[in-house]
Amino acid sequence: MPNNSLALLFDLDGTLVDSVYQHVLAWREAFQTERIDLAVWRIHRQIGMSGGLMTHALLREIGHSVTQDQADRIQRLHGEAYERLAESLRVLPGAQELLDHLSAHQVPYAVATSARLESARHTLKLLKLSPSVPIVTRDQVRHAKPDPDLFVTAAQRLDVPINHCFVVGDSVWDMLAARRAWALGVGLLSGGYGREELERSGAYRVYQDPADLLRHLDEVGLRHAF
């Protein structure tokens, strides 16, 4: 891959697959099983972080502490609850068409997700990805979002400088990670965050969903994709 290429680095949940609210409900069930009551809106605000960071942030907000064993159990319970909801997952409008379009025009792209592979496999199997597309999960990096490790690793696997990459994501954590990596952030509204929140976090363009991004690829500088 020539190192002067432009590339797209995609988040997964809420960006390519409609799975954010399944994650929210799974986290709520996990916390409730441990007799910790959290409002759904609080959980949604932290989706996009790694599970460990999210658990810590949520419990800090309500002034509750848990042991490491409890924290690990909450993450395991989340995984079990999410698996039960996996049948309701759907690819977001235009996601497959966008990826197919990039492949057809030889625009390199990768998928980088804060989810561990055990959880991400439910969403990844909904997408028709070439074996050559790099997939980076939480298991493969030291730190997840809002640290930039996931996107930096994805760019390295594409052999494209990170400052030649566009990070496409639906959460403020994606945009913050993109800024820290010196990549341009493109926000999607399909995960539930608002336009102003994404722009304040660093998104230089915001679109409704993957279908809307596909219609406006020229606005992110991918002229050779037409």
Side-chain angles (χ1 to χ4, degrees), residues 16-164:
L16 296 173
V17 177
D18 193 2
S19 53
V20 167
Y21 295 100
Q22 286 88 341
H23 273 297
V24 170
L25 294 174
W27 279 115
R28 183 178 67 171
E29 179 179 326
F31 282 111
Q32 285 181 336
T33 301
E34 289 296 300
R35 299 184 180 181
I36 300 170
D37 194 25
L38 276 165
V40 167
W41 71 267
R42 286 190 184 275
I43 298 172
H44 178 258
R45 304 300 297 173
Q46 306 297 343
I47 291 291
M49 284 183 167
S50 69
L53 278 179
M54 196 181 92
T55 299
H56 175 75
L58 285 168
L59 295 177
R60 182 184 61 220
E61 285 188 11
I62 62 173
H64 194 105
S65 60
V66 295
T67 66
Q68 186 58 51
D69 284 346
Q70 285 177 294
D72 292 343
R73 188 159 58 248
I74 288 169
Q75 291 195 61
R76 176 177 56 79
L77 290 166
H78 160 264
E80 293 171 357
Y82 183 70
E83 187 164 2
R84 291 194 297 274
L85 294 168
E87 288 187 1
S88 65
L89 301 175
R90 297 290 184 272
V91 174
L92 281 161
Q96 190 64 56
E97 292 81 357
L98 172 60
L99 300 182
D100 291 346
H101 183 86
L102 296 175
S103 296
H105 290 82
Q106 299 184 318
V107 178
Y109 68 89
V111 177
T113 173
S114 284
R116 295 189 179 275
L117 182 58
E118 180 63 22
S119 175
R121 64 186 177 88
H122 299 293
T123 41
L124 288 168
K125 71 180 183 181
L126 298 176
L127 298 166
K128 298 173 184 175
L129 298 174
S130 165
S132 64
V133 173
I135 297 170
V136 184
T137 62
R138 175 67 183 89
D139 319 72
Q140 300 169 25
V141 297
R142 183 176 180 184
H143 298 297
K145 295 174 285 189
D147 287 276
D149 301 27
L150 285 163
F151 296 124
V152 171
T153 300
Q156 290 171 344
R157 293 190 184 176
L158 289 171
D159 193 24
V160 177
I162 188 65
N163 61 349
H164 287 198

Side-chain angles (χ1 to χ4, degrees), residues 7-10 151 162 165-169 174-175 178 183-187:
L8 277 74
L9 311 178
F10 289 96
F151 296 124
I162 188 65
C165 295
F166 303 94
V167 168
V168 182
D174 296 312
M175 299 303 103
L184 287 173
V186 176

